[in-house]
Amino acid sequence: MKGDSTAVDAFAPSAFFADHEASFNAGFDGPDALAATHLQASGEFERLWRAFMAARFVLGLLLLFLQGTLELLSQTLNPRLLLVCGAYCVAALAVLWFAQPRRYGRTFNPQWASTIGVDLLAYTLLQFLQAGVINYAPLFVLPVLMAAILGSLWLALGTAASVSLLLLAHSAWLALQLPQNQATQFAQSALTGTGCFVIAFLANQLSVRLASEEQRSRLNQLAARVQRQVNELVIESLSEGILVVDKTGRVRAANPAARLLLGVTTSRPDFAFSLDSEVGWAELSTLARQSFLQGGAERANLTIHHPSQGLRRLQAHTRLTQARATGEESLCVMFLQDQRELEARIRSDKLASMGRMSAAVAHEIRNPLAAITQANALLDEDTTDPRHKRLTQMVAQNASRLGRIVDEVLNLSRIQHPENAVTLQHMALSESVARIFRDWTVQTGSAHLARIELLNIDVEVAFESEHLRRVMINLLDNARRFASGHPAGIQVRVDRDSAEQGQVAVWSDGLPLEPSVERHLFEPFFSSESRSSGLGMYICRELCEGHGAGIVYRRTRRTLAGVDTEGNEFCVTFRTK
């Protein structure tokens, strides 16, 4: 279903705009120039020009042969006529062989003189030298047609006027020699001149009309090619499978998604197959035939069987194309969707709804939780019984845990990605990370467990300071939770990567993550611990992506107490200036 190269070339910007620019510029010279421009642009002008030049040469040969035959039959030699015919034949051959196609324009010019002017001169000389034996006036139609088709209306009328003047001059010359035929000669010249004017006007109008129709046809073809390419691109990029099936069950077209659903391995766009060729596609074939029998749309949930993919549940609906011409075949268009993808989409929507509901619930819990915490603190002040003290401490611990969960849920709902990260203030990465690290070690009492390395102190990144603090605190808390507890078991490094982008790596000597945990590490509400809300890593990723940064997890090795030790590392790559 790929577009052919011809269609792509036709829609190339240079060819498209060059053609329409020529049309626009030619429009200032009137419809005649517009016609000639489009004739040139499409190659028709060159073909017409060469046809006229070839006709002139052939006419010259015929005149030379005719004049020679008449001289032999009449046994009277008139070398001037033979010389004119021979010279005209040579001039026509020279133009056909050496000249390049070029439009005449609106006025007389050298191109007109070398072709139409030569014709008028040659035919006039023949008319004057033939001494009343042969009438060469019909030959003047050829230059008039050339001027009308290959030039403008004004040039055609000017050529017709020149022919009329020459014929009238010939009539006047004959009147001096034969006074008794004056009226007849002048009437004949006037009629011929009038006919030349009529031919010039009609031929030019017909040429303009044909050029206009050709232009419209070319634009329609261009629009059709563009529309076909856009349709093919849209259909190929759809995640929904599309099949075009005829009444015999033969698949005329299928987009990549449909081939993937059916398990068709070939990617050739011209490869056709039948729904009856596989037993596992029987339900699809039955649905297509039912659509043709009912003459309307059908919808069904199907199960197809494929040896390499097993069972696959599909949701399918069909539409029939309308036969626009008598005898045209109607086709069935089938739209296929994988039921698993539909169910996954529904689950995603439900999770989004649950997230919004969780934020609302967390907001409502906050005030009662604060009241419980305050009441427990007052109760703890008044009690002296050790058993009651343990109970109030348990209430305080769990209320604090519940408060952290509420804060994380509310923080998740407050995450806002900057609309334009370019407008963010740039901050010194090393200085900011060092300050956050120092505050965290003081608050958690983890100075003996963690160390920091500042390998690049001059790197600046585009990141909000408060968001950076939230990311670092989440990563450090996560590292502390899974670290072994040995000195320097948590290591923070600020550096640049190979692309000169700022990096912060938070490493801990914890055990490797299980594959199932690593796969869902950055998903919301996923945690390997029952006491965690599962939002920490998700918030880190959302904040990083919102600032044009990226975060990854990997297993790396660091030196710990002189020993090369493997551990878990979260690396954040920032966008620098």
Side-chain angles (χ1 to χ4, degrees), residues 206-217:
L206 180 61
S207 174
V208 171
R209 178 61 62 86
L210 291 178
S212 176
E213 292 296 330
E214 181 188 4
Q215 177 193 7
R216 188 178 296 108
S217 175

Side-chain angles (χ1 to χ4, degrees), residues 40 95 126 148 161 174 181 204 212 214 236 265 269 279 344 359 380-381 452 455 476 536 545 559 561:
Q40 281 183 301
V95 172
L126 290 176
L174 290 178
N181 294 327
N204 181 264
S212 176
E214 181 188 4
E236 288 183 1
T265 56
V279 178
D380 183 68
E381 293 178 358
I452 185 171
L455 302 182
L476 289 170
E545 291 182 353
T559 301

Side-chain angles (χ1 to χ4, degrees), residues 374-385 388-389 392:
Q374 185 177 7
N376 182 71
L378 295 174
L379 184 62
D380 183 68
E381 293 178 358
D382 296 337
T383 185
T384 57
D385 190 341
H388 293 168
K389 283 282 187 182
T392 55

Side-chain angles (χ1 to χ4, degrees), residues 288-309:
R289 290 191 175 90
Q290 185 178 356
S291 298
F292 283 115
L293 290 176
Q294 298 294 334
E298 296 289 333
R299 183 182 295 270
N301 293 326
L302 310 175
T303 301
I304 63 173
H305 306 261
H306 195 271
S308 62
Q309 298 181 358

Side-chain angles (χ1 to χ4, degrees), residues 239-256:
S239 60
E240 186 179 30
I242 298 179
L243 295 176
V244 181
V245 187
D246 59 18
K247 291 184 178 180
T248 63
R250 187 174 183 82
V251 177
R252 298 289 187 87
N255 69 338

